[in-house]
């Protein structure tokens, strides 16, 4: 039985706690970023089936969190999304609704959910920023704004066009978190918010070549090509561009959002626009990190997916002008080193 939380103590429940970002948060907390008044609880699908409302509510009643970082989701790379768009929609809508409603019903003080830049319309202007998620009227504090004023907000601009067709199921499910956050705030005054990270990578990622995201998939491909003495085949043209954020950097930013960020409007967590790289350039960084000397081949019969989804981190920089991101090639090197050292047990 979970003991009662002492006065002023935060009991922080992290759903998806054994995944890429959950493990990164656990590491930075263990490495000294945690605070004395915080108790951290990392849960996975083994602890509860979050698509089941009864199991989700029981999880919340068992741990009695005061705060929640909601990371749990059905996720996958481009080709898995293309094959299973309906599954991505249904599974994630169930998870998100159950988590947010259980948080409301059990009196959780604050929830920080994880969105994705794929929520934005495919046909849009760049860079993407938070004004495309909400309206251009002044932002109000979650703590200070009466719900009456929040009712004046018009429809979020993320609904002004469909997301990219390759992952519409996942994208629409993530959009609905923002809708629900606004609804819970307007109707019940709940402090539910969300972050929008760009492409996350790091230790404990899913390195499955077929179903994982692009960078961990490439790391696995380079590992196998080097081991087998074969060419490295990169799916697509290598021209699409992405902003990659190291999972440990994102973890540190999650802690700041949980403790300090008091807006219902989501905030983009990303490296700068100037740090955007092509898939080809990302592959070159991995090749260098793993000292691969073989041939590189681009299989242009494979889909590229969305060409770009450049995001602005100007709002984040206004809050945290001095935040230092890990240089991309250093982060890639650390991730490759972790994967090689943990190849037997890594998700792949």
């Amino acid at each position: 039985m979970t003991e009662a939380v002492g006065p002023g103590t935060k009991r922080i429940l992290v759903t998806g706690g054994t995944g890429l970002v959950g493990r990164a948060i656990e590491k930075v907390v263990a490495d000294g970023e945690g605070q004395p008044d915080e108790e951290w609880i990392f849960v996975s699908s083994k602890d509860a089936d979050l698509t089941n409302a009864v199991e989700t509510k029981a999880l919340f009643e068992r741990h009695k969190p005061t705060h929640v970082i909601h990371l749990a989701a059905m996720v996958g790379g481009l080709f898995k999304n293309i094959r299973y768009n309906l599954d991505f929609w249904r599974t994630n809508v169930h998870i998100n609704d159950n988590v947010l409603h259980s948080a409301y019903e059990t009196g959780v003080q604050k929830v920080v959910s994880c969105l994705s830049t794929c929520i934005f319309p495919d046909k849009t202007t760049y860079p993407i920023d938070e004004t495309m998620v909400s309206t251009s009227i002044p932002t109000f504090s979650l703590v200070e704004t009466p719900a009456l004023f929040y009712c004046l907000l018009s429809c979020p601009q993320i609904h002004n066009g469909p997301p990219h067709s390759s992952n519409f199921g996942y994208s629409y499910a993530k959009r609905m978190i923002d809708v629900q956050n606004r609804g819970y705030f307007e109707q019940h005054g709940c402090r539910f918010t969300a972050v929008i990270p760009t492409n996350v990578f790091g230790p404990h990622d899913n390195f499955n070549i077929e179903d994982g995201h692009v960078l961990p998939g490439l790391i696995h491909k380079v590992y196998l090509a080097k081991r087998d003495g074969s060419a490295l085949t990169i799916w697509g043209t290598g021209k699409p561009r992405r902003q990659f954020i190291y999972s440990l950097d994102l973890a540190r930013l999650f802690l700041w959002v949980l403790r300090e960020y008091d807006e219902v409007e989501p905030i983009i967590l990303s490296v700068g626009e100037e740090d955007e790289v092509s898939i080809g350039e990302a592959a070159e960084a991995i090749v260098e990190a793993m000292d691969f000397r073989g041939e590189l081949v681009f299989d242009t019969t494979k889909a590229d997916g969305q060409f770009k989804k450049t995001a602005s981190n100007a709002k984040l920089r206004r809050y945290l002008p001095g935040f230092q991101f890990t240089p991309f090639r250093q982060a890639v090197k650390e991730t490759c080193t972790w994967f090689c050292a943990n190849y037997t047990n890594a998700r792949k």
Side-chain angles (χ1 to χ4, degrees), residues 127-334:
I128 296 162
D129 64 31
E130 292 83 0
T131 66
M132 298 176 179
V133 184
S134 64
T135 63
S136 58
I137 70 173
T139 300
F140 299 104
S141 167
L142 280 170
V143 177
E144 300 170 356
T145 308
L148 175 63
F149 288 105
Y150 201 76
C151 293
L152 298 175
L153 293 178
S154 60
C155 293
Q157 293 182 33
I158 59 169
H159 303 289
N160 282 354
H164 193 269
S165 59
S166 63
N167 59 357
F168 69 86
Y170 180 79
S171 302
Y172 277 120
K174 286 294 186 180
R175 282 187 184 188
M176 291 306 104
I177 291 180
D178 178 64
V179 172
Q180 287 179 277
N181 285 347
R182 295 166 188 277
Y184 277 109
F185 182 69
E186 177 185 321
Q187 194 164 329
H188 301 295
C190 295
R191 298 175 64 205
F192 295 175
T193 189
V195 302
I196 308 174
T198 47
N199 292 61
V200 191
F201 73 98
H204 301 284
D205 208 336
N206 178 5
F207 293 85
N208 185 284
I209 292 172
E210 294 285 339
D211 295 338
H213 288 107
V214 59
L215 203 144
L218 283 172
I219 290 173
H220 193 180
K221 280 188 171 185
V222 173
Y223 178 94
L224 295 176
K226 182 177 180 180
R227 184 194 68 185
D228 300 339
S230 60
L232 169 64
T233 301
I234 300 169
W235 290 345
T237 64
K239 295 178 181 178
R241 304 185 66 79
R242 295 291 182 266
Q243 288 157 292
F244 293 100
I245 181 171
Y246 193 31
S247 59
L248 297 177
D249 293 340
L250 180 59
R252 290 156 56 212
L253 290 171
F254 254 106
L255 298 191
W256 169 76
V257 171
L258 184 76
R259 296 164 182 163
E260 306 292 340
Y261 184 70
D262 280 328
E263 297 181 29
V264 71
E265 178 184 288
I267 184 168
I268 292 171
L269 303 181
S270 174
V271 298
E273 299 165 51
E274 68 279 5
D275 294 314
E276 187 177 57
V277 298
S278 71
I279 302 303
E281 290 167 339
E284 290 171 3
I286 296 166
V287 164
E288 177 183 305
M290 300 184 74
D291 194 28
F292 175 72
R293 313 244 176 126
E295 181 186 6
L296 271 67
V297 178
F298 290 90
D299 181 358
T300 57
T301 66
K302 299 288 188 182
D304 269 337
Q306 194 167 4
F307 178 72
K308 66 183 294 184
K309 38 187 179 178
T310 313
S312 168
N313 71 352
K315 181 176 179 178
L316 173 64
R317 284 304 188 192
R318 287 196 296 272
Y319 275 110
L320 297 175
F323 186 85
Q324 296 292 316
F325 288 95
T326 305
F328 177 64
R329 287 183 179 270
Q330 177 185 334
V332 166
K333 178 64 175 176
E334 291 178 9

Side-chain angles (χ1 to χ4, degrees), residues 75-92:
V75 297
L78 171 64
F79 297 99
K80 185 175 180 180
N81 271 275
I82 290 172
R83 291 195 304 271
Y84 300 111
N85 264 301
L86 176 61
D87 292 352
F88 275 95
W89 160 259
R90 297 189 72 242
T91 299
N92 286 309

